Amino acid sequence: MDNLSDALEKLKLASTDSATDNVESCLDCLLKALSNNNTEASVKIQEMGVLPLLPTLLSPQSSCTPKVANIIAEVAKNEFMRSPCVEAGLIPPLTQLLNSPNQEVLLQTGRALGNICYDSHEGRSAVDLAGGAQIVAEHIKSLSQNTEPENEKLLTVFCGMLMNYSNDNDSLQAQLINMGVIPTLVQLLGIHSHNTALTEMCLIAFGNLAELESSKEQFASTNIAEELVRLFQKQAEHEKKEMIFEVLAPLAENDVIKLQLVEAGLVECLLEVVAQTVDGEREEDIAQLKTASDLMVLLLLGDESMQKLFEGGKGSVFQRVLSWIPSHNHQLQLAGALAIANFARNDGNCIHMVDTGIVQKLLELLDRHVEEGNVTVQHAALSALRNLAIPVVNKSKMLSAGVADVVLRFLQSEMPPVQFKLLGTLRMLIDTQAEAADQLGTNGKLVERLVEWCEAKDHAGVMGESNRLLSALIRHSKSKEVVRTVIQGGGVKHLVTMATSEHMIMQNEALVALGLIAALDLVAAEKDFVGANLVSVLHKLLSDERSAPEIKYNSMILICAVMGSEPLHKEVQSLAFIDVVSKLRAHENKTVSHQASLTEQRLTAQS
């Protein structure tokens, strides 16, 4: 280190003198010390106050300049040296050097700026202020066609510099996107795909920029999909494939890019990865299988890409995905069920899939998971069944196939996501299916569980779906037995609460169900209606100007229905309903105004 101290002293003297030879030998000594022990040498350079001398040595004309820039690049590998580099005023002269015609100067300057920017807010701000990123972006664009090794090395350094400059910084990433770096980087990937270092740098840059929503449109206007798929097909190593996957995942969130990736042949690549890794036990096989199958499911979230792969149910991809469901591998079972749920996003697809026996495959899968209990697989299979049950023509076929019975086996699940999908599936199945609604609505165990879940305040989704299913059982069965089961199970108070929901559709479903309860068995429900303050809830709904016309209409129907009960009748009289109802006779909605007249007559006659 003594040699270093001497060299630093000499450098201090020489920097005021222009004897280049002296300076050169001092710089060589510094570089040697940095290569032996970078941290120690950097501390010494900092202690002896050499950094502030370096700007004067960064002259575009000087032959020492590449070495000085190299020293700065080496020093800035240490986190503690980055702010001092900025404070020593090194950024403006380094940025000036980006205009140099000398390739070595550009290379070392790019390294220096890139290292100073690494994880350093001060470094990035200074480069931003000096306009360094714009110059580097223009260099990359003008050099992009040149495939000489030296030029590719420079491109790699420049791409790395932009990466360090913008990493994890949304506003600087947006700045690069506005400069148009995305099309340039995509072009680089195509021209230089033989150069591993440059390719990897482009991939890291894509991974960074693709996280930003504003980048997706620019990516979609390039041929990124083709380039990435072509690159993927060439890769044999797990790490390289993983790098490409990391770029594909955020890009594939965009529907236009989803379709481009499907058209570029990504799906075939993914199916191949699945085939190669499905029986693998190595960690990397398991990771690749998960990534490939997850990405496959993501591609199916786009309507156009999904329909293209469905091909009227004849598509080879669709058939391959179907074969995942009976697989022994949980990850593939999960992806298969999620894929079916995604294919089941329009009536045509749903009808075709039910007609070709997919329901049976899903039921067998669920059957295997009642005991094994893989929650994600249960959730996915129930999601698929729920979607398949949406078209009216599928409901009776699915009920005949025993879907309701299998779904009910999961009633004991303590997992909210499974509970939520289970409830949604049953609700879809009984819609317009009176017999099934009757059967399920008289199932005491089911109703008891629904009432329990109606109180699941920690899980709003489960609570909402339980209320909706309770109401649906009554609305679709219109059965006195079902009404009795719900009353005995303690469900009435929950339906009254549901009538005050912030969602109009739920309010309405509750009011219709309560109207049926009042019509079919008012005597049995009377006590619960009183206990749940039904009459005052209805008064609020009718008085509230924000209530939708159908809410007002169904509330008045319900008022008329409960008038046959003495205690409820008394409550109606005590709340002066007649004032509220008579105002509604002037309501702009004809159905509401007509019902208001009828209700007013009823209230007057029975007062």
Side-chain angles (χ1 to χ4, degrees):
M1 274 294 151
D2 290 342
N3 289 352
L4 176 61
S5 303
D6 291 346
L8 290 169
E9 284 296 351
K10 279 183 192 163
L11 188 60
K12 277 179 150 179
L13 295 168
S15 65
T16 52
D17 168 22
S18 52
T20 309
D21 293 346
N22 285 348
V23 175
E24 286 261 12
S25 60
C26 296
L27 295 175
D28 287 337
C29 185
L30 254 68
L31 282 168
K32 191 175 176 192
L34 285 162
S35 71
N36 287 338
N37 188 331
N38 191 315
T39 310
E40 209 176 305
S42 296
V43 170
K44 200 85 174 159
I45 288 169
Q46 167 73 330
E47 282 172 354
M48 291 189 67
V50 170
L51 286 180
L53 310 175
L54 298 182
T56 54
L57 296 173
L58 286 171
S59 146
Q61 287 77 36
S62 165
S63 59
C64 301
T65 300
K67 282 181 184 171
V68 179
N70 188 359
I71 287 167
I72 297 168
E74 289 302 316
V75 161
K77 285 178 178 175
N78 301 287
E79 191 181 348
F80 65 88
M81 290 298 282
R82 288 171 201 148
S83 290
C85 283
V86 176
E87 286 153 18
L90 296 177
I91 301 294
L94 283 170
T95 305
Q96 281 300 306
L97 290 176
L98 289 172
N99 299 307
S100 167
N102 181 315
Q103 194 145 11
E104 184 61 18
V105 170
L106 290 175
L107 186 77
Q108 299 303 344
T109 304
R111 286 183 61 236
L113 288 170
N115 290 353
I116 292 171
C117 283
Y118 186 79
D119 250 356
S120 161
H121 174 68
E122 294 83 1
R124 290 170 182 183
S125 298
V127 172
D128 182 19
L129 197 65
Q134 179 76 53
I135 304 170
V136 170
E138 283 163 11
H139 271 307
I140 295 174
K141 196 171 184 177
S142 65
L143 298 170
S144 62
Q145 305 286 338
N146 183 338
T147 55
E148 286 171 18
E150 285 309 306
N151 186 62
E152 290 190 324
K153 197 172 164 189
L154 183 57
L155 282 170
T156 307
V157 165
F158 277 163
C159 287
M161 182 256 160
L162 290 185
M163 268 286 315
N164 289 353
Y165 172 69
S166 65
N167 191 23
D168 281 340
N169 185 312
D170 287 359
S171 65
L172 294 181
Q173 286 174 352
Q175 183 192 81
L176 293 184
I177 291 165
N178 292 335
M179 286 176 195
V181 301
I182 287 174
T184 308
L185 290 173
V186 174
Q187 204 182 9
L188 281 189
L189 193 63
I191 299 168
H192 304 273
S193 58
H194 56 275
N195 184 305
T196 311
L198 183 49
T199 301
E200 285 184 10
M201 203 52 87
C202 286
L203 288 173
I204 296 168
F206 291 147
N208 256 357
L209 297 171
E211 296 293 340
L212 219 59
E213 209 39 56
S214 58
S215 73
K216 308 274 168 69
E217 242 170 79
Q218 270 207 30
F219 274 119
S221 66
T222 69
N223 62 337
I224 183 81
E226 289 166 40
E227 294 297 358
L228 288 175
V229 171
R230 194 178 302 142
L231 193 65
F232 192 87
Q233 287 162 340
K234 286 184 190 172
Q235 305 307 324
E237 291 170 50
H238 165 71
E239 280 78 15
K240 297 281 164 52
K241 286 182 179 171
E242 207 56 47
M243 273 186 97
I244 301 171
F245 274 143
E246 278 172 23
V247 180
L248 288 168
L251 285 179
E253 286 167 13
N254 176 282
D255 282 359
V256 178
I257 300 174
K258 279 187 184 80
L259 187 59
Q260 290 172 352
L261 289 168
V262 167
E263 287 172 342
L266 177 62
V267 172
E268 289 70 18
C269 296
L270 297 177
L271 290 172
E272 204 174 306
V273 171
V274 168
Q276 287 165 356
T277 55
V278 66
D279 296 316
E281 285 169 15
R282 293 178 308 170
E283 235 171 80
E284 62 185 54
D285 288 336
I286 295 163
Q288 263 194 56
L289 177 71
K290 178 170 169 33
T291 311
S293 52
D294 284 350
L295 192 48
M296 185 76 188
V297 172
L298 182 57
L299 291 176
L300 293 172
L301 279 172
D303 288 339
E304 282 188 79
S305 50
M306 177 272 286
Q307 216 46 49
K308 190 175 176 65
L309 294 171
F310 189 67
E311 290 181 65
K314 311 254 186 312
S316 61
V317 172
F318 171 63
Q319 296 301 331
R320 284 281 286 280
V321 168
L322 269 190
S323 72
W324 293 356
I325 294 174
S327 154
H328 60 278
N329 183 299
H330 282 186
Q331 175 58 35
L332 273 197
Q333 294 169 2
L334 170 65
L338 287 172
I340 297 304
N342 284 342
F343 279 125
R345 283 212 314 279
N346 63 52
D347 283 7
N349 291 6
C350 288
I351 292 165
H352 178 88
M353 286 194 276
V354 168
D355 287 346
T356 49
I358 280 174
V359 170
Q360 207 45 51
K361 283 189 167 70
L362 290 167
L363 293 182
E364 284 162 13
L365 176 61
L366 277 172
D367 214 33
R368 290 160 69 181
H369 283 279
V370 177
E371 301 307 323
E372 287 177 50
N374 184 305
V375 174
T376 50
V377 176
Q378 291 172 1
H379 180 261
L382 289 167
S383 296
L385 287 171
R386 181 198 174 281
N387 289 2
L388 290 169
I390 292 171
V392 176
V393 294
N394 281 356
K395 297 180 195 294
S396 57
K397 292 174 187 171
M398 290 176 71
L399 287 162
S400 305
V403 172
D405 300 331
V406 174
V407 170
L408 285 173
R409 292 174 69 187
F410 291 91
L411 261 187
Q412 296 318 307
S413 172
E414 293 303 329
M415 294 295 172
V418 174
Q419 296 166 352
F420 180 73
K421 286 297 173 187
L422 169 155
L423 292 163
T425 306
L426 290 176
R427 188 166 63 80
M428 281 303 156
L429 278 172
I430 62 164
D431 193 3
T432 70
Q433 305 297 305
E435 197 183 323
D438 201 341
Q439 220 175 350
L440 289 172
T442 50
N443 178 331
K445 276 199 171 134
L446 170 63
V447 171
E448 193 183 309
R449 194 71 162 135
L450 292 182
V451 170
E452 188 188 320
W453 285 340
C454 282
E455 290 166 8
K457 292 196 167 47
D458 294 343
H459 302 286
V462 172
M463 195 162 93
E465 275 294 339
S466 303
N467 277 301
R468 293 190 75 185
L469 181 54
L470 209 51
S471 153
L473 291 169
I474 295 167
R475 288 183 296 111
H476 296 298
S477 69
K478 298 184 174 62
S479 143
K480 190 167 185 171
E481 286 308 307
V482 172
V483 165
R484 284 233 163 118
T485 312
V486 171
I487 294 169
Q488 282 161 6
V492 173
K493 64 178 181 188
H494 295 298
L495 291 171
V496 175
T497 306
M498 181 182 169
T500 64
S501 162
E502 58 196 30
H503 304 290
M504 190 194 80
I505 192 163
M506 286 175 70
Q507 283 185 306
N508 217 26
E509 287 171 0
L511 290 169
V512 173
L514 290 166
L516 284 162
I517 292 173
L520 292 167
D521 204 340
L522 182 57
V523 175
E526 183 181 83
K527 196 174 157 203
D528 288 339
F529 279 164
V530 172
N533 296 319
L534 172 66
V535 174
S536 71
V537 165
L538 293 174
H539 190 271
K540 270 190 196 134
L541 289 174
L542 286 171
S543 311
D544 189 345
E545 286 175 10
R546 292 165 304 174
S547 294
E550 46 269 63
I551 302 299
K552 292 194 187 304
Y553 173 79
N554 283 321
S555 296
M556 286 187 283
I557 295 277
L558 190 45
I559 284 297
C560 295
V562 300
M563 293 289 281
S565 147
E566 198 182 328
L568 292 167
H569 187 176
K570 276 184 181 158
E571 283 189 39
V572 171
Q573 285 178 313
S574 72
L575 278 171
F577 261 85
I578 203 126
D579 302 345
V580 183
V581 171
S582 60
K583 278 184 194 161
L584 291 174
R585 278 171 45 202
H587 197 279
E588 59 188 5
N589 183 297
K590 291 284 174 283
T591 318
V592 172
S593 58
H594 178 62
Q595 185 57 43
S597 300
L598 296 175
T599 308
E600 190 179 24
Q601 287 166 23
R602 183 81 191 270
L603 289 168
T604 313
Q606 289 193 266
S607 60

